Amino acid sequence: MNKELKINTISISLSLIITLVIITLFLFTLSKNPFEIYSVMLGEVFGSFYGFGQMLFKATPLIIIGCGLAICFHASLFNIGAEGQLNAGSFVTAIVLVALSDLPFILAFIISVACGFLVSGLFGLIPAIIKIKKGVNEVITTIMMNFIILYLVNYFLMNFFTVPATQRTIKIPESFMLPQASDLISAFQGSALNITFIFAILLALIIYFIIYKTRFGYNIRAVGFNEIASAYIGLKPARITLLSFFIGAGVISLAGINFVMGYKGYYEFGYTNNIGFTAIAVALLARNHPIGIIFSALLFAFLDFGGLAVNQIIPKEVILVIEALVILSIISVNKLTENYFNKT
């Protein structure tokens, strides 16, 4: 077991134990029975194919967005704009699908997804260019880009593409909808899980290969590790910054497939429900490792769907506190573990 994997395994195990202890004590202080709550959450998620499918459905966009963010994070580019980039890509994908409804599915699928990828990627380029030309921190620009993109999408949606009295686009043809899990296993009936989950897993494997097994991935990590030193060995940090932001933002747009083609059949303003921000925590918890992002996304999806099951016992805000505790615990323990192994 290499050193990095050893540190990650120990720190995540320790932090999960510590988090569980803290949450248990926290629930006791609220006069709630934590074991009853754990039992209800586990039963709701793992007690039926429906609950399990819903957890996988919620994990799907988190995996895709987390992988897109990881590309930027490996280059030391803190992209906070996933929420806007996701909305832009999803919106464009949906309206292009409607416009190409006369084309064969595969052709319409490729064109619409490519358009969504391109538009999100271009929005990702804006903070990258500002950073390169003016040295403005990308955290500020990507946060502001979220507002710009969301208002732009809302403007075009409400003025040109909306179905009257709604905040959604026209439904895409039924033949463009992706296969559901219930089509293969009837026990998943009622769950929104669809083939996009398989796509998300494959995407994580591809991103892993690109980051850790290719020259391009090596260049990204080199620039992220030390931009000045990477320039001395012949790399071009500015070009890496542009490519990382463009590809990362483009990948984020692919998460829209899960909702537009796998679930509702249209783009609806506000459907993302801040999932772009949640995915930041998912990527950070996994230390930007694409395979780790799969498990990190599953953990958040479990807390999200399991939290719905215990809403009558504890308010949703408590679940949000638990999610925050998980993040703080893992980040803190990870740092302590890393320092310990560096000294020994």
Side-chain angles (χ1 to χ4, degrees):
M1 183 182 291
N2 63 45
K3 187 176 180 181
E4 184 180 1
L5 183 59
K6 191 174 182 180
I7 291 173
N8 287 341
T9 304
I10 292 175
S11 65
I12 290 175
S13 302
L14 279 175
S15 47
L16 286 177
I17 293 170
I18 292 171
T19 303
L20 198 60
V21 172
I22 293 173
I23 292 171
T24 302
L25 294 174
F26 177 60
L27 291 174
F28 271 127
T29 61
L30 297 176
S31 302
K32 303 294 182 184
N33 184 345
F35 304 107
E36 179 193 357
I37 293 170
Y38 298 151
S39 174
V40 172
M41 291 178 72
L42 288 169
E44 188 68 22
V45 174
F46 297 107
S48 68
F49 275 92
Y50 169 77
F52 187 62
Q54 285 301 91
M55 182 186 72
L56 297 184
F57 172 72
K58 288 179 176 293
T60 301
L62 290 175
I63 295 170
I64 298 172
I65 300 170
C67 286
L69 289 171
I71 294 173
C72 295
F73 291 168
H74 273 291
S76 281
L77 301 169
F78 209 67
N79 181 7
I80 310 293
E83 185 71 13
Q85 292 152 12
L86 171 61
N87 273 278
S90 304
F91 175 63
V92 170
T93 299
I95 60 175
V96 173
L97 278 170
V98 171
L100 302 180
S101 57
D102 292 334
L103 291 183
F105 166 75
I106 189 65
L107 197 55
F109 177 81
I110 292 172
I111 295 173
S112 60
V113 170
C115 289
F117 188 101
L118 182 63
V119 169
S120 288
L122 290 176
F123 275 121
L125 278 181
I126 295 174
I129 293 171
I130 295 174
K131 180 182 175 69
I132 292 169
K133 297 292 184 184
K134 299 296 180 183
V136 179
N137 190 297
E138 71 278 8
V139 172
I140 299 170
T141 49
T142 50
I143 288 175
M144 299 313 297
M145 283 302 297
N146 275 328
F147 293 105
I148 294 171
I149 295 171
L150 289 173
Y151 285 125
L152 275 176
V153 168
N154 196 25
Y155 170 78
F156 282 107
L157 172 66
M158 299 308 293
N159 288 282
F160 301 104
F161 298 102
T162 188
V163 173
T166 71
Q167 284 190 311
R168 69 173 178 85
T169 59
I170 300 170
K171 198 172 188 304
I172 65 175
E174 203 60 39
S175 59
F176 285 0
M177 294 298 290
L178 296 174
Q180 301 292 300
S182 56
D183 296 337
L184 302 173
I185 303 174
S186 59
F188 279 113
Q189 194 66 41
S191 165
L193 179 65
N194 59 81
I195 200 171
T196 314
F197 177 73
I198 304 297
F199 168 75
I201 299 296
L202 292 175
L203 179 70
L205 296 174
I206 292 171
I207 299 295
Y208 166 80
F209 181 80
I210 291 174
I211 291 177
Y212 292 103
K213 304 294 181 184
T214 67
R215 180 63 181 266
F216 177 62
Y218 171 81
N219 292 347
I220 289 177
R221 289 184 290 129
V223 170
F225 183 72
N226 192 317
E227 185 176 324
I228 297 174
S230 63
Y232 274 109
I233 61 172
L235 300 181
K236 298 184 184 306
R239 182 183 295 176
I240 298 294
T241 297
L242 291 171
L243 285 172
S244 300
F245 252 116
F246 178 75
I247 296 173
V251 168
I252 288 168
S253 76
L254 302 179
I257 297 172
N258 190 46
F259 185 86
V260 174
M261 302 182 72
Y263 181 34
K264 288 292 187 179
Y266 50 76
Y267 168 84
E268 185 174 37
F269 188 75
Y271 91 87
T272 55
N273 196 24
N274 293 328
I275 200 171
F277 295 108
T278 306
I280 294 173
V282 168
L284 291 178
L285 281 184
R287 292 170 65 85
N288 304 316
H289 194 292
I291 307 302
I293 284 172
I294 296 173
F295 296 99
S296 179
L298 287 172
L299 173 63
F300 273 83
F302 167 76
L303 290 172
D304 188 9
F305 185 69
L308 295 175
V310 294
N311 265 352
Q312 292 184 335
I313 306 174
I314 54 174
K316 185 180 179 182
E317 287 74 15
V318 174
I319 296 298
L320 297 177
V321 170
I322 291 173
E323 289 182 2
L325 284 172
V326 172
I327 297 169
L328 289 173
S329 174
I330 292 180
I331 291 174
S332 304
V333 174
N334 190 277
K335 189 65 180 174
L336 291 172
T337 310
E338 199 172 66
N339 290 341
Y340 173 79
F341 276 96
N342 286 337
K343 289 178 182 176
T344 57

